[in-house]
């Protein structure tokens, strides 16, 4: 299990960003790097199944010096590397922390996965779960560990809502319901005030982390599932 909340800046705050494929996890990381890199020393770890595409995207955006963005190639099960065996990610984070000491915040992007993938609290101190309006207004109601219990739920791409007939206020209200009132943030990279709220959430989390008042919670494991190939297993 995770050690007790840090009482000092011994190591960087680690934030995981999970969510289904294409909801905007890399874009959230890019926005955070743009918004926070003058205040904080940042590093990024991406997880892709077979490529380093997310890392290359983020480097090409020029949001951080390229060497602060590292890719972990997870193989077949992206969720395994953030939940069941986090060794590859821990090594990547520790390397980054050693190379750029002292880092304030490390952002870890999960490989895009199904609705229930979550980070282990042994890997990250806090996690956000990213949905988008294009996935449909109903998704927030469906629940699951990430939606229900991540530290922050992001409803992304709200600029597209009118095109996909989604009522953002309703989707946010449904999400708050599914989370017993836990924080939900409506986001669009095209609406700077929403990006400001996202950055403020991270600032507040970092203050709590440094102050020793933040406790890592485990949203719980993903739903049982199986893979036809290359293996069949329940995690
Ligand atoms: N309209 C709109 N498009 C967005 C927004 N954020 C991201 N996108 C687009 O959504 C697509 C997916 O964004 P990514 O950030 O790559 O999503 P991801 O979750 O990292 O994707 P994977 O890592 O492949 O799972 C891209 O075409 C982005 O340009 C947004 O706020 N509004
Ligand atoms: Mg991505």
């Amino acid at each position: 299990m995770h050690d007790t909340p840090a009482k000092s800046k011994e190591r960087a705050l680690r934030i995981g960003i999970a969510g289904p494929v294409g909801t905007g996890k890399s874009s959230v990381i890019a926005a955070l790097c743009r918004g926070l890199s003058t205040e904080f020393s940042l590093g990024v770890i991406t997880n892709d199944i077979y490529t380093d595409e997310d890392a290359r995207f983020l480097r090409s955006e020029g949001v951080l010096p390229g060497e602060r963005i590292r890719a972990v190639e997870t193989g077949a099960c992206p969720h395994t590397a953030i939940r069941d065996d986090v060794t590859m990610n821990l090594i990547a984070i520790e390397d980054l922390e050693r190379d750029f000491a002292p880092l304030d915040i490390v952002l870890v992007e999960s490989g895009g996965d199904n609705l229930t993938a979550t980070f282990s609290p042994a890997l990250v101190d806090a996690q956000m779960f990213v949905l988008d309006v294009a996935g449909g207004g109903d998704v927030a109601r469906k629940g699951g560990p990430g939606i229900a219990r991540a530290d922050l739920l992001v409803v992304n791409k709200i600029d597209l809502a009118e095109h996909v007939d989604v009522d953002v206020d309703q989707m946010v209200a449904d999400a708050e319901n599914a989370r017993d009132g836990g924080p939900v943030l409506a986001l669009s990279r095209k609406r700077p005030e929403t990006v400001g709220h996202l950055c403020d959430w991270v600032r507040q989390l970092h203050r709590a982390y440094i102050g020793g008042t933040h406790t890592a919670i485990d949203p719980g494991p993903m739903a049982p599932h199986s893979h036809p190939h290359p293996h069949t297993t329940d995690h």
Side-chain angles (χ1 to χ4, degrees):
M1 276 301 289
H2 195 61
D3 44 13
T4 49
K7 303 267 184 309
S8 69
K9 248 180 133 185
E10 245 161 52
R11 64 160 178 78
L13 167 67
R14 300 169 181 174
I15 305 177
I17 293 102
V21 176
T23 52
K25 298 176 292 296
S26 298
S27 305
V28 161
I29 289 175
L32 285 172
C33 291
R34 276 192 205 97
L36 297 173
S37 63
T38 57
E39 292 158 59
F40 297 102
S41 177
L42 300 175
V44 173
I45 305 288
T46 64
N47 280 259
D48 274 314
I49 303 180
Y50 298 121
T51 69
D52 61 352
E53 194 156 326
D54 283 332
R56 279 191 285 120
F57 163 76
L58 287 165
R59 287 188 202 111
S60 74
E61 289 285 287
V63 293
L64 282 184
E67 29 339 325
R68 285 178 176 249
I69 302 168
R70 304 255 166 100
V72 169
E73 287 183 34
T74 60
C77 303
H79 47 268
T80 301
I82 63 162
R83 177 89 211 169
D84 303 323
D85 181 0
V86 299
T87 316
M88 279 197 292
N89 272 293
L90 280 179
I91 289 170
I93 292 174
E94 282 161 14
D95 284 352
L96 203 54
E97 292 217 49
R98 195 192 48 239
D99 293 349
F100 297 99
L103 281 182
D104 297 311
I105 301 175
V106 178
L107 302 167
V108 185
E109 178 178 348
S110 75
D113 206 337
N114 72 33
L115 256 182
T116 66
T118 51
F119 284 87
S120 165
L123 179 60
V124 297
D125 303 295
Q127 54 192 295
M128 50 178 98
F129 198 83
V130 184
L131 295 177
D132 66 3
V133 299
D138 294 343
V139 179
R141 261 202 308 276
K142 292 183 179 164
I147 290 176
R149 292 185 292 277
D151 297 81
L152 179 69
L153 181 71
V154 173
V155 173
N156 197 19
K157 311 189 194 176
I158 59 168
D159 57 289
L160 298 179
E162 60 179 312
H163 305 293
V164 291
D165 293 331
V166 167
D167 177 342
V168 172
D169 291 340
Q170 185 63 52
M171 189 168 172
V172 168
D174 287 344
E176 283 169 346
N177 228 2
R179 292 169 56 72
D180 286 331
V184 179
L185 186 82
L187 182 72
S188 165
R189 61 158 188 232
K190 298 181 180 180
R191 303 206 181 148
E193 74 283 5
T194 66
V195 176
H197 294 149
L198 179 71
C199 292
D200 284 345
W201 183 84
V202 171
R203 288 184 183 102
Q204 198 183 352
L205 175 67
H206 187 260
R207 273 197 301 276
Y209 174 71
I210 294 299
T213 57
H214 173 73
T215 308
I217 54 150
D218 183 358
M222 71 186 306
H225 64 288
S226 63
H227 303 273
H229 291 289
H231 66 253
T232 301
T233 182
D234 289 332
H235 295 293

